[in-house]
Amino acid sequence: MIRFANALLLRRRAFCFSIIAASTLLFASACSRREPRADLVLVNGAEPQSLDPAILSGQPDGRAASSLFEGLLQFHPETGEPVPAIAERYEKSTDGLVYAFFIRSNALWSTGEPITAHDFVWSWRRAAAPETAADYAGQLFYIKNAEAYCTGQTNPATGRRYTGEDMGVRALDDRTLRVELVAPTAFFPDLCAFRTLAVVPRQAIEKHGDRWVRAPGTPFSGAFTLQLWRVNDRIRVVKNPRYWDAANVQVNTVDFLPQHDPNFCLNIFLQGDADLIFDKRRMPSELMDKLREEPYFHGFEVLATFFYRYNITRPPFNDLRVRRALGLAVDRRRIIEGISRGGERLATGMTPPGTRGYEGPEGLPYNPEAARKLLAEAGYPGGKGFPIFRYLMPNMVLQSHIAIELKEMWAKELGIHMEIQQMEWKVYLLEQGRTNFDVSYSSWIGDYNDPNTFLDLFMSNNGNNRTGWSNARYDSLIREANAEVDVKKRAALLKQAETILVRDDVPLVPIFHEKGINLYRPDEIGGIWGNLLDEHAVSAMYRKKPASNSRNPR
């Protein structure tokens, strides 16, 4: 480790200017207002777009928000399975259509008021409301009438539009929540652990509008409360003494650092200014082989897929032959072995191996000769006449290397030319959400361990679809599968749907299935486990001994 650190010191001279620039950006606002070092300092990734559980869609956003807001259930930090949280227990009807959740008597907002079943009813209606425009509203569509409400449908029995009151969620009393589903949904408990269904404070939202999270006195339902949020500096959360499980939360302050430069992230980790780097996108890929040998390197299997998506509303990507041609020209193994180098698994299907009870189909193979033929059939022999197109991506060093590789592959094999358009994380999400791109970098980590989390993503009404693609047969198969109680029949229906997605219509092209990677010193930090969902509850983390560098306040 010492030799490696010394080697890195030599490397730092080569990129010292980038480190100075990054450190100036990261800590500029902290220079005039310095706080003592937090108990835990976590390199979180990009600056969050939002901390509102109903609005956010990115993983960096979700990590911080999950420390502030909690749902009926939570994901177990070791297994990733849903376990009781604000609800101490739940019951399910024999037909699987009705759930009853029982709220803990000691579940309180950070301001001291009880958290009730009525709070959950309001929070879920808000997340499904069309005016909220939540990308993850589809997580609630398994509840009776939630989809009809979100999409503005009219009730044929009454002649009026569905409202939130029509949703199958009711407070029977302050501590009992009744939920009625459209069909038996085996993964519904997993959804109740996901952040979109967390409980949020009605009064603060109605009073402060979009600024409610940062407003003074905002009640929080999670293990921590928000102390400060300085853009491009840090989010600091502090322990919530009224949290129902506060006795088992062993850290008082946690900093989430927004940073995308892998060299800088590794530098502050090695110096002891950060305790944990969450994922490999914040690590130099060229050092991955060496990092893997270190005791602070922790790799694990995770349900995640890196892919790119097309905007099929724009020519020439409205032509299936073009979409297939580009997919057939991608040498995935070259990307995995030459660039990402994190132990990823080659992917032609969207759903990763190991997803509960499912094995997906094969998608497009690597076949550049077939790709050239298809492109010629589409009217672009040798790439002649093919317009220059844009590849949208966030500011990430590893992903920029992959983008360059894709650009070179498509130029070499097909004679077409791509421009890379990099944006900061928040702007990238907005542009992708507006379908303002030709081709876009994408990555999806399973929200729960079920193939549906990868496949309902591309249903016509899903806010995270972001391709302009719609296929009635695909939608029908997903709906039929999720109403099917026979596991084998359900898997067969899902496989038919995924075949449409990755082989027949191709609105996206999978590249590889991600590998989970964390950097932390196990002799200093505990309460972190690798799990399939890459979910790491900050409330479960604790210090075993002081930080390697605790002398510098941040």
Side-chain angles (χ1 to χ4, degrees):
M1 178 176 174
I2 293 174
R3 287 196 301 271
F4 181 40
N6 288 338
L8 279 174
L9 287 172
L10 294 176
R11 287 179 52 82
R12 285 177 198 139
R13 295 176 182 174
F15 55 80
C16 61
F17 289 111
S18 67
I19 288 180
I20 291 170
S23 61
T24 299
L25 175 65
L26 182 62
F27 297 122
S29 63
C31 290
S32 59
R33 292 179 291 175
R34 299 174 70 84
E35 296 88 12
R37 188 191 196 279
D39 295 337
L40 289 176
V41 180
L42 314 177
V43 176
N44 188 40
E47 174 67 35
Q49 181 184 28
S50 173
L51 295 182
D52 182 340
I55 300 299
L56 62 84
S57 60
Q59 190 181 31
D61 313 50
R63 290 192 190 110
S66 292
S67 70
L68 301 171
F69 302 100
E70 192 166 85
L72 296 166
L73 307 179
Q74 62 184 336
F75 293 114
H76 191 282
E78 184 172 3
T79 66
E81 294 296 316
V83 296
I86 291 177
E88 60 186 355
R89 62 186 179 89
Y90 65 90
E91 297 174 356
K92 182 175 67 170
S93 63
T94 54
D95 61 5
L97 291 176
V98 178
Y99 282 76
F101 294 90
F102 302 93
I103 308 296
R104 297 177 186 274
S105 59
N106 64 335
L108 302 174
W109 293 102
S110 59
T111 46
E113 300 85 1
I115 297 175
T116 70
H118 302 280
D119 294 321
F120 276 96
V121 171
W122 188 87
S123 298
W124 290 13
R125 288 177 180 175
R126 172 179 179 261
E131 58 268 23
T132 302
D135 287 341
Y136 268 105
Q139 301 283 45
L140 293 142
F141 289 0
Y142 306 96
I143 299 172
K144 184 178 179 180
N145 294 331
E147 182 178 2
Y149 169 46
C150 183
T151 55
Q153 297 178 31
T154 299
N155 186 334
T158 64
R160 64 170 177 81
R161 283 194 173 187
Y162 285 94
T163 70
E165 293 183 357
D166 296 313
M167 285 177 58
V169 53
R170 296 283 185 276
L172 301 185
D173 54 47
D174 284 353
R175 294 183 55 199
T176 310
L177 185 73
R178 183 184 188 274
V179 184
E180 185 177 356
L181 305 183
V182 176
T185 306
F187 51 85
F188 186 68
D190 299 80
L191 296 178
C192 292
F194 191 68
R195 53 190 64 97
T196 306
L197 276 66
V199 65
V200 293
R202 177 177 185 171
Q203 289 185 345
I205 295 170
E206 291 180 339
K207 180 178 180 181
H208 299 288
D210 293 342
R211 300 177 180 273
W212 69 271
V213 174
R214 297 195 197 190
T218 289
F220 296 93
S221 57
F224 296 86
T225 65
L226 182 65
Q227 183 180 80
L228 62 87
W229 181 2
R230 291 201 292 260
V231 175
N232 292 324
D233 176 17
R234 73 197 59 240
I235 292 170
R236 173 163 289 191
V237 300
V238 297
K239 181 177 175 178
N240 174 9
R242 293 191 172 99
Y243 178 58
W244 65 268
D245 198 28
N248 291 313
V249 178
Q250 299 185 43
V251 292
N252 291 313
T253 56
V254 181
D255 279 354
F256 295 87
L257 303 184
Q259 181 54 242
H260 62 82
D261 186 297
N263 292 317
F264 181 66
C265 292
L266 182 59
N267 184 35
I268 62 173
F269 173 78
L270 291 174
Q271 289 181 346
D273 290 326
D275 300 303
L276 168 66
I277 300 179
F278 270 117
D279 61 66
K280 71 177 184 184
R281 288 179 286 269
R282 310 298 175 245
M283 307 169 197
S285 59
E286 66 272 20
L287 296 178
M288 198 61 71
D289 292 341
K290 186 63 179 175
L291 286 170
R292 195 177 286 111
E293 300 172 2
E294 299 300 324
Y296 49 73
F297 181 95
H298 306 274
F300 52 95
E301 296 301 321
V302 63
L303 299 179
T305 302
F306 165 61
F307 62 102
Y308 68 81
R309 64 183 95 202
Y310 299 107
N311 177 0
I312 73 161
T313 68
R314 289 183 179 177
F317 301 107
N318 57 348
D319 189 324
L320 174 59
R321 295 168 297 183
V322 169
R323 300 198 299 273
R324 281 182 173 165
L326 268 69
L328 288 165
V330 175
D331 187 347
R332 298 166 174 83
R333 194 164 302 282
R334 181 170 147 192
I335 292 173
I336 292 170
E337 295 177 356
I339 299 177
S340 57
R341 302 168 67 181
E344 299 83 3
R345 294 164 293 181
L346 186 148
T348 61
M350 185 65 190
T351 308
T355 306
R356 184 190 295 156
Y358 180 73
E359 182 177 347
E362 292 292 322
L364 300 178
Y366 174 52
N367 190 335
E369 182 178 351
R372 288 188 284 272
K373 289 181 180 178
L374 276 172
L375 199 66
E377 289 175 14
Y380 306 103
K384 186 177 180 180
F386 198 93
I388 296 174
F389 62 99
R390 293 183 305 140
Y391 180 91
L392 176 69
M393 61 165 292
N395 288 324
M396 294 181 180
V397 175
L398 173 59
Q399 299 307 330
S400 68
H401 294 330
I402 294 176
I404 291 169
E405 194 73 14
L406 289 171
K407 175 185 173 78
E408 292 177 353
M409 287 179 187
W410 288 330
K412 176 185 175 183
E413 302 293 354
L414 302 177
I416 62 178
H417 301 285
M418 176 182 90
E419 294 179 348
I420 299 172
Q421 185 177 29
Q422 295 192 55
M423 297 180 172
E424 68 168 291
W425 178 253
K426 291 187 285 187
V427 180
Y428 153 77
L429 289 177
L430 285 171
E431 291 299 282
Q432 192 183 75
R434 294 168 178 162
T435 328
N436 188 19
F437 62 87
D438 298 315
V439 179
S440 176
Y441 152 85
S442 299
S443 181
W444 192 258
I445 298 176
D447 298 327
Y448 45 90
N449 187 357
D450 189 276
N452 187 70
T453 189
F454 290 92
L455 300 181
D456 83 338
L457 183 66
F458 297 98
M459 292 180 70
S460 303
N461 60 6
N462 194 301
N464 284 304
N465 182 317
R466 301 178 179 183
T467 62
W469 178 72
S470 178
N471 183 296
R473 175 60 178 158
Y474 181 86
D475 293 351
S476 176
L477 284 167
I478 297 294
R479 294 180 191 278
E480 186 180 352
N482 287 330
E484 177 58 65
V485 295
D486 184 286
V487 175
K488 290 185 178 179
K489 289 181 180 178
R490 178 174 185 261
L493 291 167
L494 291 172
K495 191 168 185 176
Q496 288 183 55
E498 188 170 0
T499 300
I500 294 173
L501 185 70
V502 300
R503 191 188 303 169
D504 297 344
D505 273 14
V506 198
L508 60 91
V509 174
I511 305 297
F512 57 72
H513 299 303
E514 304 266 12
K515 185 83 170 182
I517 298 174
N518 298 153
L519 296 189
Y520 65 90
R521 299 173 181 85
D523 61 326
E524 293 185 8
I525 305 295
I528 306 173
W529 295 271
N531 59 70
L532 288 173
L533 302 182
D534 197 21
E535 286 282 343
H536 308 285
V538 178
S539 58
M541 299 179 190
Y542 59 93
R543 296 214 70 91
K544 296 180 180 179
K545 67 178 187 180
S548 300
N549 182 5
S550 57
R551 65 184 182 275
N552 291 328
R554 295 296 187 198

